[in-house]
Amino acid sequence: MSDSTRVINLSAGPCSLPELVLQEASRGLLNFNGTGIGIAEISHRSPEFVAYINDVASMIRIELDVPPTHHILFAQGGGALQFSTVVLNLLARHRLLHPDLLDSERVMDYVLTGWFSDMALNEANRMGGGRTNVVVDARLYSSCGKFDNIPSHEAYRFSPDPALIFYCENETVDGVQFSDSTDTTSFPFHLLPQGKGPLPLVADYSSSFMSRPIPHLADHAVIFASAQKNIGPAGLTVLIVRHDCLVDSDAAAKLGAASIPYTLMYKTLADNGSLFNTPSVFAIYVTGLVIRRLRDLGGVVYIDAVNKRKAERLYAVIRDGEAKGVLRARVAEGKGRSLMNVVFDFYDSEVQERFVSNGEACGIKGIRGHPLVKGTRLSIYNAVTEDQVNTVVAYMRDFLAQHSASCVR
């Protein structure tokens, strides 16, 4: 197998995985770590797999500098399942801390910057057990009423003692991401409520996990990330959960909290080393291979620098396209542009379709925008190489040269 037989996969997920990892994984399907048993066949309780899953957790802890106050857990399902699970677990925690409060007095804070954080809010409203507060809605700070920006810090209004505070670090549909600097497009950690004990801060890192260091990681109660963007196949979610969120949900239920299924309790996962029931064995295996390769290349600091170079090359072409009146970036400069999902629109819908179809003919796949918002989306997760991005840039420049004359506005 070689690059010549594979296309450039810019899908938003499931997405590209490193070719060397795929080759090693194919061997593991036949013989996992010299056991003579394939990874899809081996018992999840075998000494070999138990050692492997512990090693994966250790690599994540080292790469992201996860403190000993937090567990690293592996859950089945995707990130959307955590929209429900964090509500159940964090409301149980809050019930134990404040048993006399009415449900109407339990507040869940949501920061809305895109489609997925809005989906999480809707799930919290659907589940009940507390009321929700929209800390900020980015659509109110958009000239067209869309999720196309990270609002400035002065727009945020956190509750004084919420049961949870939810944000999505990178929005794949909309191409919006919090900055890792201290500018106004960063997450406003300094505005979070203080003096009420450990913060109930929850972050969805599904589409940017292991792409760069996580700011203020120790201040988070829960960080979750579905694997299929940057680190592995679909079906696995990595959790980083602080100790005080591993609550006795049965005790909380006696006080009026909702009962939590055993497999959705963070405490169950922690008490059983993520092996209470059969986990996503193959997905964990591939995730371990991906993280080991990342570590050997130089870790998240190395890949962060690579990702920034990749994004800048694409945004430079987009600036040229904007200057020629052919296209426009969905997110303006300085408004929270994603390093993972570069989203833009051609003014002419026929040109838009031609860009996608011609790209696919050239072996550049998965660039059509999300069905909800249309347009073009180039997802440049960790496994997309700089050489592949250079190929995409060359294609874009050639396409713009051919179409700018007829599309000038």
Side-chain angles (χ1 to χ4, degrees), residues 81-408:
L81 179 59
Q82 294 302 315
F83 296 162
S84 311
T85 308
V86 294
V87 170
L88 290 170
N89 283 270
L90 272 294
L91 280 180
R93 173 184 180 272
H94 200 256
R95 179 79 59 167
L96 292 170
L97 291 172
H98 307 285
D100 297 327
L101 288 181
L102 301 174
D103 284 354
S104 60
E105 297 173 307
R106 298 187 195 281
V107 183
M108 296 175 281
D109 277 2
Y110 280 79
V111 176
L112 300 190
T113 53
W115 191 79
F116 282 107
S117 50
D118 192 39
M119 182 179 174
L121 169 68
N122 292 335
E123 180 68 353
N125 285 326
R126 190 186 69 80
M127 294 183 67
R131 62 181 177 87
T132 58
N133 168 57
V134 176
V135 174
V136 68
D137 187 335
R139 291 170 293 193
L140 301 178
Y141 300 88
S142 165
S143 61
C144 54
K146 295 182 178 179
F147 288 122
D148 61 3
N149 69 97
I150 295 291
S152 297
H153 290 168
E154 61 267 18
Y156 292 72
R157 297 291 182 270
F158 293 101
S159 301
D161 187 20
L164 66 87
I165 305 166
F166 182 98
Y167 74 100
C168 181
E169 198 269 350
N170 180 73
E171 292 279 3
T172 61
V173 173
D174 309 282
V176 177
Q177 184 175 23
F178 285 98
S179 166
D180 61 352
S181 67
T182 57
D183 63 23
T184 58
T185 61
S186 63
F187 188 83
F189 294 100
H190 64 289
L191 297 178
L192 292 169
Q194 302 295 325
K196 300 287 186 177
L199 287 168
L201 185 61
V202 176
D204 179 355
Y205 261 80
S206 290
S207 52
S208 56
F209 193 65
M210 303 297 290
S211 70
R212 64 184 186 184
I214 297 178
H216 296 264
L217 187 151
D219 291 335
H220 290 76
V222 180
I223 293 170
F224 66 87
S226 54
Q228 72 273 13
K229 310 293 186 179
N230 270 311
I231 59 170
L236 168 70
T237 296
V238 178
L239 297 160
I240 301 175
V241 182
R242 200 174 58 220
H243 292 342
D244 62 282
C245 298
L246 307 176
V247 299
D248 184 343
S249 65
D250 291 336
K254 291 177 181 178
L255 297 173
S259 296
I260 306 177
Y262 278 122
T263 54
L264 299 184
M265 289 169 52
Y266 293 147
K267 188 175 188 301
T268 301
L269 287 173
D271 288 348
N272 293 275
S274 300
L275 299 172
F276 174 74
N277 62 330
T278 308
S280 302
V281 173
F282 181 72
I284 292 170
Y285 173 58
V286 176
T287 294
L289 298 180
V290 171
I291 295 174
R292 186 177 300 154
R293 177 181 178 275
L294 174 63
R295 177 199 63 189
D296 293 344
L297 287 172
V300 291
V301 174
Y302 162 83
I303 201 66
D304 179 26
V306 171
N307 287 332
K308 286 174 178 174
R309 292 196 298 266
K310 293 188 304 187
E312 175 51 36
R313 288 169 194 167
L314 289 175
Y315 284 120
V317 184
I318 290 172
R319 284 194 292 271
D320 291 345
E322 288 179 318
K324 294 175 179 178
V326 180
L327 55 79
R328 68 173 186 88
R330 187 76 56 78
V331 181
E333 286 194 77
K335 293 294 184 178
R337 284 180 169 177
S338 173
L339 299 179
M340 299 280 96
N341 310 96
V342 178
V343 184
F344 57 96
D345 303 296
F346 287 88
Y347 287 108
D348 188 317
S349 60
E350 291 185 3
V351 174
Q352 177 90 51
E353 186 60 33
R354 199 174 304 134
F355 178 82
V356 173
S357 59
N358 288 1
E360 291 180 345
C362 294
I364 303 171
K365 304 282 189 176
I367 62 177
R368 193 181 299 277
H370 191 279
L372 286 175
V373 297
K374 313 298 183 185
T376 304
R377 175 172 54 173
L378 311 179
S379 297
I380 48 173
Y381 300 122
N382 287 359
V384 177
T385 68
E386 289 189 86
D387 285 344
Q388 289 176 324
V389 168
N390 290 340
T391 298
V392 175
V393 166
Y395 164 70
M396 291 177 68
R397 291 199 182 282
D398 182 63
F399 187 88
L400 289 174
Q402 294 179 39
H403 291 82
S404 59
S406 60
C407 296
V408 172

